[in-house]
């Protein structure tokens, strides 16, 4: 999709320079919209990547907590009920 957006944007920009009529303003609007969409896609990709990394980290920490709780239960049963 990004390849399509970038290619379309470049084609429209070259077309604008070739055309000199009333469509110029509309084509400029389309180019701006397409380029803004690209930034939205990049931002969404960054957000999704950060969210996945945070979720993996939370799962790792929960596993570690479980291991520590099992260790306490096995080695120090008198501490099990304190938490």
């Amino acid at each position: 999709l990004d390849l399509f957006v970038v290619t379309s944007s470049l084609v429209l920009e070259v077309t604008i320079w070739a055309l000199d009529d009333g469509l110029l303003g509309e084509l400029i609007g389309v180019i701006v919209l397409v380029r803004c969409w690209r930034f939205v896609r990049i931002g969404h990709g960054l957000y999704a990547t950060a969210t996945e990394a945070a979720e993996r980290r939370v799962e790792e920490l929960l596993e570690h907590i479980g291991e520590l709780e099992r260790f306490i239960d096995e080695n120090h049963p008198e501490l099990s009920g304190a938490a």
Side-chain angles (χ1 to χ4, degrees):
L1 182 63
D2 287 338
L3 177 64
F4 173 74
V5 169
V6 171
T7 304
S8 300
S9 175
L10 291 174
V11 168
L12 286 173
E13 191 168 351
V14 169
T15 304
I16 285 177
W17 293 110
L19 296 175
D20 193 17
D21 57 16
L23 293 176
L24 185 62
E26 292 178 24
L27 288 176
I28 290 173
V30 170
I31 288 175
V32 169
L33 179 66
V34 168
R35 288 190 177 163
C36 287
W37 177 251
R38 173 117 168 87
F39 286 117
V40 168
R41 295 263 308 147
I42 291 170
H44 178 264
L46 292 173
Y47 172 77
T49 302
T51 301
E52 289 174 10
E55 288 174 357
R56 279 193 305 269
R57 182 67 177 145
V58 166
E59 288 180 18
E60 291 172 1
L61 291 173
L62 289 174
E63 287 177 17
H64 187 66
I65 289 171
E67 292 171 5
L68 292 173
E69 287 176 344
R70 282 189 297 278
F71 177 79
I72 290 172
D73 289 342
E74 293 169 2
N75 296 308
H76 301 287
E78 68 276 0
L79 296 177
S80 305

